Amino acid sequence: MIEIKDITVQFGGVRPIDSLSVTLDAPIVGLIGPNGAGKTTLLNVLSGFVTPVQGSVTVAGSELTKVAPHSRAKHGLRRTFQTDQIADDLTLWQNVEAIADHAHFESSAQAEEAVAKAIDYVGLSHRIHRLGGALSTAERHLAEIAKALIGDPSLVMLDEPGAGMSESESKLLAQIIRGIPAFCGAQVFLIDHDVALIDACCEQTMVLDFGRLLAKGPTSEVLNDAEVRKAYLGEFDELEEVA
Amino acid sequence: MAKDRQDIPLGTPLQRVTPLIITFCIIAIVGPWLLSAYWLNTFTTVACLTLVSATVALLYGQLGMVSLTQFALAGVGGWVCLRVIHGWGVPFEIGLIAGACAAGLFGLLVGLPALRMRGLYLALLTLLVAAAFQVVVNVIGFPDGGEGWTGKVVNGQRAMIDRPLAASSDVAYFRYAVIWMAAGLIWIEWQKVSRLGRAWALIRKSEAAAISVGVSVVKYKATAFAVSGALAGLAGGLIAGLNGQLDNTGFHTSQSILLYALVVVGGAYHWVGAVIAALLIRALPALLNDHGVDGNLANVFFGFALLVSLIQGRTGIAGKLADFYKFVRMSRIVEGSVSWGLIAILLGVIAYALSWTSFAGAFFISLIALLFRMAIPGVLWMLLGFFGKRTQDHAEALEAKLSLRLVKIMKAMGLRPDHRLFKRTLNWLFIGIFVAWVAWGVFGLAYLSALAIIWGALGLKVLWEVSLYTYVLPWRSQIDARYPKPFANYR
């Protein structure tokens, strides 16, 4: 469960997030919003790269506001980035193993088992010896997800995992994301512009607009909300259009 | 869509370092047999500088950090090594290790402010440290058995340190230095595929991503700085042991910059790159000096080589060689090595028996001729490319026209036509005239003897192909089946 209490982020005169309070308790939560709504800033607050000027963040019962970014992994936080972070000159296996190195397994055999399981879960077992640079875009995104599943995470944050994927790849991705809570017991926090992906994965969705919470609730309700459609999907009422 | 090829595992760390161990064993054993006293000393220095280059490559290739202090750190290691040995009369190894520890500590101190810097600012900082070291060393000098903490003799005979007992002769010291250097390179290579190397890979990909998975960026960067400092210091101690003393002029700041540039030329991502960088910085000027040409001329070549490797991508000569190794079938490499080796040995023996030149000289010239036979057409093609695609097309059309005319004549004469005869003849003419001219000018070999060796080598290769191919081909397909190449691993 993610509890965000009265978070404000200030960059100079800009407030990307303005006194935001929200509790996200569904196993898979979606976050959508137009460009500049503060989606990635919120993710950066959760992973500790941005320090809010006020407010607190609690994930799975641990208060994280004061925890340093590199220590948050110990609290079970994992995230992916908009641009994938697969090292070109390591194999897929080594890329995932690099995460396992820092996940405090009891033995190297256990670490290897976890790596194998995560790679198998995203369906890339046939690619473990391939160099990162030779993987396709979709494979790299899936490998990123495999990296985020190592070491019993409590919260997996995915920043636009579907970017650049074809429709069939996107369907596979949705299936993989839906299975994450059952696979490792983690809550999933999914940011994407692809509303179809959000709709297919998330029980609960929140919408940000100019740093404020516009809506939160069951995904289908949120996506049909008139305010949301206006802000995010660009729908106008007829009157406005005429004017 | 192309069919997926099976990826081949990268192998365990031990398998990864095996080629390195074999190469350096061969060099350590065979080197002294082939080299004269002058060259043995040069190559001992090359071995030490290989270790310094490897530390530059480690920081640049693994973490993307430009360090221009590594040469100065070698100086620190050498200074401490000399000081400890002169001061307490300890065995050479203790001095060596003390020097390495001191340089490692110093490297760590330089690295600490650098942990938050990258790119140009880090390069500037490390350059200033190198310059500061040069100033300090100019004032206090390297220890040579004198009084005081600087250990500098004011007026009198400079004392030398003794080499280790087991390696007092030049030959033994060469092997001794190669062993230390190989140990350093093996350690680095081992780490690249282990936990440390994986963490470095995460950091160089993105520090933010590394932090988000719990990697302590500070710890791993500091480790890299300390280790590369220590290995550079070790190399400095080895240079001190080679000459018994060190000279103020030996650790000039410009050498640090040159070393970095040559590591880029040699290739920072493969251990062979460090060897190439060291050969370029020390062996190439020595080769020129040995033949009465000013060694500083090498700097002109270095500038050109740097330009080419920056245009060609960042992997350097070693990266190109690695690409070559990846793309060329194993059987061709084996067959090439065997045939080239046999031809070169045969011509070496003949030239020695006819007392034209030394065995090594003829051996070397044959290999160059065989290499040029493969390389020259491609190089010419690239040079023509500088004048534009149209020039390339014109040259190709002209060559095709002349070749076709030649084929017609051959057919009319009742011969089996060869479409590539014209190109090959040009190639042979050029190689013969050019390589023989260099051999005549640089090695002092009679022009006609050189020409005989070169064309002999090319002729023997053709003879090999014509006479042995039916026997060699099945053998080659067996090798390729046994050692397939992991094509899918290519970048």
Side-chain angles (χ1 to χ4, degrees):
Chain A
M1 191 161 84
I2 311 169
E3 287 170 85
I4 294 165
K5 276 194 202 128
D6 198 25
I7 287 282
T8 298
V9 175
Q10 186 130 13
F11 298 147
V14 184
R15 281 193 172 180
I17 294 180
D18 197 359
S19 43
L20 176 72
S21 294
V22 66
T23 302
L24 304 164
D25 46 11
I28 305 182
V29 185
L31 169 56
I32 57 174
N35 284 330
K39 302 186 296 291
T40 300
T41 307
L42 181 60
L43 206 61
N44 282 337
V45 168
L46 287 171
S47 34
F49 293 123
V50 170
T51 314
V53 286
Q54 65 170 50
S56 72
V57 174
T58 311
V59 172
S62 8
E63 154 77 52
L64 291 180
T65 323
K66 296 270 175 339
V67 178
H70 70 269
S71 306
R72 294 194 184 200
K74 280 187 210 135
H75 292 274
L77 258 69
R78 297 286 185 279
R79 72 169 286 185
T80 67
F81 291 79
Q82 278 181 23
T83 48
D84 65 76
Q85 303 296 334
I86 302 294
D88 286 350
D89 49 354
L90 298 188
T91 60
L92 170 60
W93 177 274
Q94 288 175 319
N95 264 297
V96 183
E97 199 182 14
I99 312 300
D101 285 340
H102 301 277
H104 306 287
F105 284 99
E106 276 169 27
S107 67
S108 58
Q110 269 185 16
E112 274 179 32
E113 197 194 320
V115 172
K117 250 179 86 183
I119 294 177
D120 187 49
Y121 176 71
V122 298
L124 291 178
S125 302
H126 58 301
R127 290 279 187 259
I128 53 171
H129 295 306
R130 182 161 291 193
L131 288 181
L135 294 171
S136 73
T137 310
E139 285 169 346
R140 290 161 79 93
H141 282 299
L142 293 179
E144 277 286 280
I145 293 177
K147 280 165 70 178
L149 300 180
I150 295 291
D152 286 331
S154 55
L155 173 64
V156 174
M157 299 177 279
L158 305 173
D159 196 354
E160 300 196 14
M165 281 196 178
S166 71
E167 207 177 314
S168 62
E169 286 164 345
S170 198
K171 271 189 187 145
L172 179 70
L173 177 73
Q175 201 184 330
I176 287 170
I177 292 174
R178 276 201 302 269
I180 291 177
F183 174 74
C184 61
Q187 190 182 12
V188 179
F189 190 44
L190 172 65
I191 300 185
D192 213 298
H193 273 301
D194 183 355
V195 176
L197 182 69
I198 297 276
D199 199 18
C201 296
C202 307
E203 290 90 353
Q204 195 177 46
T205 296
M206 64 182 277
V207 185
L208 277 182
D209 192 20
F210 293 112
R212 288 172 183 279
L213 186 67
L214 196 63
K216 189 206 105 179
T219 303
S220 53
E221 281 178 28
V222 168
L223 292 181
N224 287 319
D225 185 280
E227 282 290 306
V228 173
R229 294 187 81 87
K230 194 168 154 189
Y232 186 56
L233 303 173
E235 283 187 7
F236 302 92
D237 4 295
E238 280 172 41
L239 264 178
E240 266 181 83
E241 219 168 319
V242 173
Chain B
M1 210 176 111
K3 187 173 169 283
D4 261 4
R5 285 175 196 266
Q6 191 58 43
D7 300 311
I8 289 174
L10 280 185
T12 61
L14 185 62
Q15 285 168 342
R16 297 262 298 185
V17 297
T18 308
L20 205 146
I21 295 173
I22 294 171
T23 312
F24 288 125
C25 278
I26 293 174
I27 289 174
I29 294 166
V30 177
W33 298 345
L34 299 176
L35 301 168
S36 64
Y38 169 76
W39 280 105
L40 199 61
N41 258 344
T42 305
F43 273 89
T44 310
T45 318
V46 166
C48 303
L49 291 181
T50 299
L51 198 50
V52 185
S53 314
T55 67
V56 177
L58 170 69
L59 289 173
Y60 181 60
Q62 293 298 302
L63 286 163
M65 298 195 289
V66 178
S67 169
L68 300 175
T69 18
Q70 298 311 114
F71 220 84
L73 289 173
V76 170
W79 195 95
V80 172
C81 176
L82 287 172
R83 188 71 200 88
V84 168
I85 292 173
H86 279 308
W88 290 298
V90 291
F92 182 70
E93 281 79 10
I94 300 207
L96 206 56
I97 288 166
C101 292
L105 201 64
F106 200 76
L108 188 62
L109 285 179
V110 176
L112 283 180
L115 294 176
R116 290 183 169 276
M117 288 188 195
R118 323 202 94 222
L120 182 63
Y121 299 102
L122 177 58
L124 279 175
L125 178 86
T126 53
L127 180 66
L128 288 177
V129 173
F133 175 78
Q134 192 191 328
V135 171
V136 171
V137 136
N138 273 339
V139 174
I140 66 171
F142 281 101
D144 48 12
E147 293 295 313
W149 69 271
T150 60
K152 182 79 187 148
V153 172
V154 180
N155 285 312
Q157 187 65 36
R158 297 184 71 186
M160 310 265 242
I161 57 165
D162 290 328
R163 285 180 186 173
L165 280 178
S168 51
S169 70
D170 278 356
V171 168
Y173 196 78
F174 170 76
R175 289 179 177 149
Y176 184 79
V178 168
I179 288 170
W180 276 109
M181 176 267 281
L185 259 61
I186 287 167
W187 187 87
I188 292 174
E189 215 45 39
W190 192 286
Q191 295 310 322
K192 279 187 192 170
V193 283
S194 308
R195 183 189 161 98
L196 198 53
R198 290 194 291 266
W200 285 338
L202 285 178
I203 293 171
R204 85 170 161 264
K205 185 71 195 173
S206 150
E207 286 187 22
I211 290 169
S212 78
V213 294
V215 174
S216 166
V217 173
V218 171
K219 188 175 111 191
Y220 285 99
K221 275 191 168 180
T223 312
F225 263 105
V227 166
S228 57
L231 289 177
L234 187 75
L238 286 170
I239 298 174
L242 172 68
N243 304 317
Q245 59 185 17
L246 286 172
D247 207 35
N248 296 359
T249 54
F251 297 92
H252 206 269
T253 317
S254 63
Q255 293 285 306
S256 284
I257 301 173
L258 188 60
L259 190 71
Y260 169 70
L262 291 179
V263 165
V264 173
V265 170
Y269 303 92
H270 198 283
W271 60 269
V272 172
V275 179
I276 294 172
L279 283 173
L280 287 176
I281 201 170
R282 196 47 50 95
L284 185 66
L287 179 74
L288 293 174
N289 282 331
D290 197 24
H291 294 291
V293 186
D294 188 350
N296 289 324
L297 204 63
N299 289 335
V300 178
F301 164 74
F302 294 157
F304 182 69
L306 184 64
L307 191 67
V308 170
S309 50
L310 289 179
I311 293 168
Q312 288 274 312
R314 302 180 305 135
T315 54
I317 300 174
K320 294 277 164 237
L321 287 177
D323 282 352
F324 175 79
Y325 173 76
K326 277 181 197 162
F327 281 105
V328 176
R329 269 171 295 168
M330 198 64 188
S331 64
R332 296 205 61 166
I333 295 175
V334 172
E335 195 213 325
S337 317
V338 172
S339 61
W340 286 28
L342 287 179
I343 290 169
I345 289 171
L346 181 68
L347 285 169
V349 171
I350 292 175
Y352 179 70
L354 296 173
S355 62
W356 284 348
T357 176
S358 65
F359 170 80
F363 183 84
F364 186 61
I365 291 171
S366 320
L367 285 184
I368 293 281
L370 289 168
L371 180 71
F372 272 33
R373 173 178 166 271
M374 273 176 34
I376 288 294
V379 172
L380 275 181
W381 190 245
M382 202 186 78
L383 288 178
L384 276 176
F386 281 123
F387 298 102
K389 181 88 177 68
R390 277 184 62 182
T391 320
Q392 272 182 337
D393 289 345
H394 279 309
E396 201 171 26
L398 185 68
E399 189 270 330
K401 209 166 120 186
L402 291 171
S403 289
L404 277 177
R405 196 159 290 173
L406 192 67
V407 164
K408 269 184 196 157
I409 297 171
M410 286 174 85
K411 268 185 184 159
M413 288 167 67
L415 294 168
R416 209 176 93 189
D418 181 352
H419 288 265
R420 284 180 290 184
L421 189 65
F422 176 64
K423 241 196 271 190
R424 283 187 177 153
T425 315
L426 272 187
N427 200 15
W428 280 43
L429 274 175
F430 174 77
I431 294 168
I433 291 164
F434 179 72
V435 179
W437 176 70
V438 172
W440 166 71
V442 178
F443 297 97
L445 185 63
Y447 191 82
L448 285 180
S449 328
L451 209 57
I453 293 171
I454 293 156
W455 282 345
L458 298 179
L460 281 172
K461 182 72 174 92
V462 171
L463 209 63
W464 168 287
E465 282 171 8
V466 171
S467 59
L468 292 179
Y469 246 46
T470 42
Y471 309 103
V472 169
L473 279 179
W475 181 61
R476 268 177 46 166
S477 47
Q478 267 179 21
I479 292 180
D480 285 331
R482 175 81 181 76
Y483 300 101
K485 286 286 178 85
F487 288 98
N489 267 348
Y490 300 153
R491 286 211 255 165

